[in-house]
Each structure stands twice: as C-alpha cells, then as structure tokens.
Amino acid sequence: MRTIAPAGRGDVHTLLIVLPLVFFAISLSFDVVAMLSGAHVWGVAAAMNLAAGLVSGSLSSVYFAREHDQYRPGSRARDLSFLFLWLSICALLPFAVSLVLRVVHPEGVTPSASVALSIMALGVATLAGWLGDEAARERA
C-alpha cells in the first residue's frame, strides 16, 4: 500500500504549485462561459474559484517562503526559488484586484477588466509555477 508520506518532497511541491493554477484556470473558464451565456451563476462560480485560488496560492507562497531559506545560498535552486516567490506574489495581486472588481460590481456581469486581469495573471502564475517546479527539481 502506498501512502503520501513516501511519495517524496517533489510531489508535494508540485501539488502546491499546481493547485492554485487549477483554481485560477477554472475561474477563467467559468468567466468565459458566463460571458457567452449571460448566466449569473457562472460568474459566481468563477468568483468562488478565484477566492479559492487566492487562499491556496497565499498558503503555498508562505510554505515556499519557508522552504526558500533551506536552499543552499548561491545555488541555482535558490535563485529559481526567489524568482518563483516574486512572480507568485506578482500574480496573486492582479487576481486579488480581479476579485475586488467582482465584489464592487455584483449585478451579475463580470467586468471585462476583471477577465483581462485574470488572463494576464494566469500567464504570470504559469511562468512562476514552472520556475517553482524547476527549483524543486534542482534541489532534489
């Protein structure tokens, strides 16, 4: 029987990197469906996924900030880890602004600026996730 414990540090790192990205991608998909269908429920679902992505992204950033200190100073893994953390924070901020825009305009129509911010931030978050995965592989 296999458990999570012997799965290794890399598996946990990958999960913590990918989970917020999944929430953000689903949120963007729901926004597209909401814009095409005009149904308010898809916008609400997108906002819920956006909030879940912000929570999981913030928690994983805290975890990776603690892990960053354990990398050997001057190593490539530490440099990649620093870039990952910096880009992750830069990606979370537009997602947070996007969520605030949704709260300010609760009439049901997702603001186009909110969708544009989500698209831009998802690109940055994907780049950050790749760098974080590279840092975890370098360390292993």
Side-chain angles (χ1 to χ4, degrees):
M1 174 195 268
R2 184 176 169 156
T3 63
I4 292 177
R9 186 182 277 297
D11 293 340
V12 173
H13 277 73
T14 303
L15 178 65
L16 290 175
I17 290 169
V18 170
L19 187 64
L21 288 174
V22 169
F23 282 126
F24 293 140
I26 290 172
S27 172
L28 186 58
S29 300
F30 286 167
D31 277 335
V32 170
V33 172
M35 290 169 58
L36 294 175
S37 69
H40 177 65
V41 69
W42 292 107
V44 172
M48 292 296 162
N49 275 285
L50 192 57
L54 284 168
V55 169
S56 64
S58 299
L59 292 175
S60 67
S61 291
V62 169
Y63 172 79
F64 283 116
R66 294 185 71 214
E67 285 288 309
H68 174 75
D69 291 336
Q70 296 177 6
Y71 288 108
R72 193 180 77 240
S75 68
R76 182 173 186 264
R78 188 174 176 102
D79 293 341
L80 288 172
S81 174
F82 177 76
L83 282 173
F84 163 69
L85 287 170
W86 188 79
L87 284 174
S88 294
I89 303 279
C90 288
L92 289 176
L93 291 175
F95 281 124
V97 171
S98 176
L99 187 61
V100 168
L101 285 174
R102 294 164 197 270
V103 171
V104 172
H105 301 301
E107 62 272 357
V109 179
T110 302
S112 57
S114 179
V115 176
L117 283 170
S118 291
I119 292 170
M120 179 203 59
L122 187 60
V124 173
T126 302
L127 175 63
W130 176 73
L131 289 171
D133 191 51
E134 286 294 312
R137 289 173 197 256
E138 284 284 324
R139 184 175 184 201

